[in-house]
Amino acid sequence: MVSLKNIISVNRLASLIRAGLFLLIALVVGSTVGVSMVHADDPFVPDSDDTVLVVLPKSLLVERDMLQRLRSQLTADPDNPKLAATVSQRYLSIGKRGGDPRFYGYARAAVAPWWEDDSAPAEILKVRAKLKENDHQFENAVTDLKLALKQKPKDPQLLLELANVFRVQGKFTDALSIGDRLEKVAGPVPAALGRAPLYVMTGRAKDARSLLKQILPAARADYPSTLGWISTVQADVALALGESDTVEQHFREGLGVNPADVQLLHRYGDFLLDQNRNEEALELLQDHVADNGVLLRAAIAAKRCQDIRADDWSRQLERRFEEIRLRGSEPHGRFESRFALQVQENADRALQLATKNWKRQKELRDAQNFLEAAIAAGDFDAGNPVLDFLQEHNTQHALLDPLVEKLRPTQ
C-alpha cells in the first residue's frame, strides 16, 4: 500500500496550483524522467536555458485549466465525494494515457479522506478500486467493486471492471458470469468487451473473433471510445490463432486511433520482440518510456540491438522498481521477472519472481514469462502450476503452445 507520507496533500497541492506552480510539481515529483529521487547525485545543472529537462504529458497541458478549476472547487468543498472522485478520475486518465505513475499518486491524494471508508459512495469506491488494481492489489479491488455494486447493482462500468479483475486473476468462471449480468443491464457491446478476452484464454479464439465482428458496427456508432480496445483484443485473437499479419494489422489500426495507447504499445512491442524485430520495437517504443512497461520493452530491444541507451534504460528501470518499494508497494511482478530474465540474464531470480507473480496474476504474458523463466533456469517442474492451469482452461495459444510442448512433451 502506498504510504500517505509520500503523497502531496490535497490542500497543499491545491494551494500550489493556485500559485501557478503545478507544472513545477510535475517536474519534481516522481521518477518518470529517469532522475531518481532515491540516490541523488550532484545536482544537475543544464548547460543552457534550451536544455529540455522533461517532456510533460500532452494530456496534462490540454487539461491543465480544467484541473485547476476542479482542484480549487475541491479545496473549497473538501468533503464532496463526487467532486473528489471526478478529480481523481481525471488524474487516473492522464496517468493511463501517458503511462506516468505520478498522476496515480495525485489521484489517490484526491480520495485520501475516504481511503479506508467501506461506506464511501460508489463513485469513490470505483476510483479506489482502479487505484488498487493499478497497484496489483486485486483482492482489495474486488472488495471495493463489490461494495460499489451493492449501491449500484446495474452499473455497467462497475460490472466490466469486476469482470476484468477476475480475468486478470484467472477466475474465468466468475468473469463469465459477470458478462451475463452485463448483457442484461447494458446490452451486447459491453458484454462482448468482457467476454472476448476470456474466450481467447479458454480455447475459443474463433468465437471471440466472431463476437467482435458482430458488435463492431454498434461499437463504432455508440461506443467509439472502445475502438482502441477492440483492436487490441482482435490482435490478441489473431495472435492466439498464429496469424501474424492480421495481428500487426489490428495493432496498427489501434495505434491509428490513439498512437500513445500504453496497452497497445505494450502488446505491439511484445509482438515485435517475440519475432526478434528488435529495431522496429525500439522505434515504436523509444518516445514513450515514461511508462514502466514501455521502458522495460525498450530496454530489452536496446540490449538486443546494442543500442547506446540500453544501460541507461536498465538503470532507470532498477531505480523505478526501488522507488515503488520505498512507496510501500511492489513492482509489477511480470515486469520485474522479465527484466531479470531478458536484461539482467538472471534466470533463477526471474523464475522466483515469476512464481510469486503467478499467485496473484494469470494473464497470457504472465504464463509466457513463467514458462520462459522455467526453461531458462532448467527447472521444468517449476512450470507445472502454469501448465496445469492452461490444461484446466483448455487454453490453446500459438504463443504458448511451443513452450508447453517443450516443458511437457506430448507422447
Side-chain angles (χ1 to χ4, degrees), residues 4 7-10 13 71 74 88 104-115 131:
L4 292 179
I7 299 175
I8 297 175
S9 71
V10 172
L13 182 55
R71 293 309 303 239
L74 186 58
S88 185
Y104 293 106
Y106 303 154
R108 173 160 176 176
V111 296
W114 298 272
W115 192 255
L131 286 163

Side-chain angles (χ1 to χ4, degrees), residues 73-140:
Q73 293 171 23
L74 186 58
T75 301
D77 189 9
D79 297 323
N80 186 330
K82 185 175 182 179
L83 183 57
T86 299
V87 171
S88 185
Q89 187 59 56
R90 289 275 185 173
Y91 282 132
L92 268 172
S93 296
I94 294 172
K96 182 178 180 181
R97 289 198 300 269
D100 191 331
R102 290 172 295 188
F103 294 95
Y104 293 106
Y106 303 154
R108 173 160 176 176
V111 296
W114 298 272
W115 192 255
E116 303 292 343
D117 185 1
D118 288 347
S119 63
E123 54 265 30
I124 292 288
L125 294 167
K126 178 181 175 181
V127 74
R128 203 169 76 183
K130 197 64 182 176
L131 286 163
K132 291 176 181 179
E133 178 190 347
N134 182 70
D135 207 26
H136 307 287
Q137 299 178 27
F138 298 115
E139 286 298 333
N140 291 336

Side-chain angles (χ1 to χ4, degrees), residues 381-395:
D381 289 342
N384 284 337
V386 179
L387 298 175
D388 292 342
F389 176 86
L390 298 177
Q391 183 175 11
E392 176 188 354
H393 295 287
N394 193 36
T395 303

Side-chain angles (χ1 to χ4, degrees), residues 27 30-37 41 53-54 102 289-290 295 312-313 315-317 319-320 323:
L27 287 170
S31 62
T32 58
V33 299
V35 181
S36 174
M37 295 169 61
D41 298 319
L53 297 178
V54 65
R102 290 172 295 188
V289 294
L295 178 60
D312 179 56
W313 281 343
R315 287 191 295 269
Q316 284 189 42
L317 204 51
R319 287 197 293 265
R320 293 189 195 181
E323 289 163 3

Side-chain angles (χ1 to χ4, degrees), residues 126-281:
K126 178 181 175 181
V127 74
R128 203 169 76 183
K130 197 64 182 176
L131 286 163
K132 291 176 181 179
E133 178 190 347
N134 182 70
D135 207 26
H136 307 287
Q137 299 178 27
F138 298 115
E139 286 298 333
N140 291 336
V142 167
T143 298
D144 281 349
L145 289 169
K146 286 182 175 179
L147 288 170
L149 282 165
K150 287 182 179 179
Q151 299 179 35
K152 296 185 175 182
K154 295 183 179 182
D155 186 309
Q157 188 61 43
L158 288 172
L159 289 168
L160 193 58
E161 293 284 354
L162 184 56
N164 182 62
V165 176
F166 280 147
R167 178 187 60 80
V168 171
Q169 291 181 299
K171 298 179 179 180
F172 298 152
T173 301
D174 291 337
L176 285 169
S177 69
I178 297 296
D180 295 338
R181 290 173 61 184
L182 256 175
E183 185 155 21
K184 291 178 181 178
V185 303
V189 174
L193 296 178
R195 286 173 178 154
L198 294 165
Y199 289 174
V200 174
M201 286 297 292
T202 53
R204 300 177 60 187
K206 291 183 179 180
D207 291 340
R209 169 176 286 168
S210 298
L211 183 61
L212 292 172
K213 183 178 180 180
Q214 180 182 343
I215 60 98
L216 191 55
R220 288 192 178 114
D222 302 325
Y223 301 90
S225 64
T226 68
L227 294 178
W229 173 244
I230 290 174
S231 292
T232 301
V233 181
Q234 287 176 317
D236 289 344
V237 169
L239 187 63
L241 296 172
E243 301 171 353
S244 296
D245 290 344
T246 307
V247 173
E248 191 147 19
Q249 174 189 335
H250 288 308
F251 280 139
R252 292 186 180 278
E253 288 173 354
L255 289 174
V257 175
N258 179 7
D261 186 308
V262 169
Q263 291 302 317
L264 271 170
L265 290 170
H266 287 184
R267 283 173 160 84
Y268 194 10
D270 285 338
F271 172 74
L272 295 172
L273 291 171
D274 287 338
Q275 295 198 326
N276 211 32
R277 293 162 60 183
N278 303 309
E279 292 83 1
E280 293 174 69

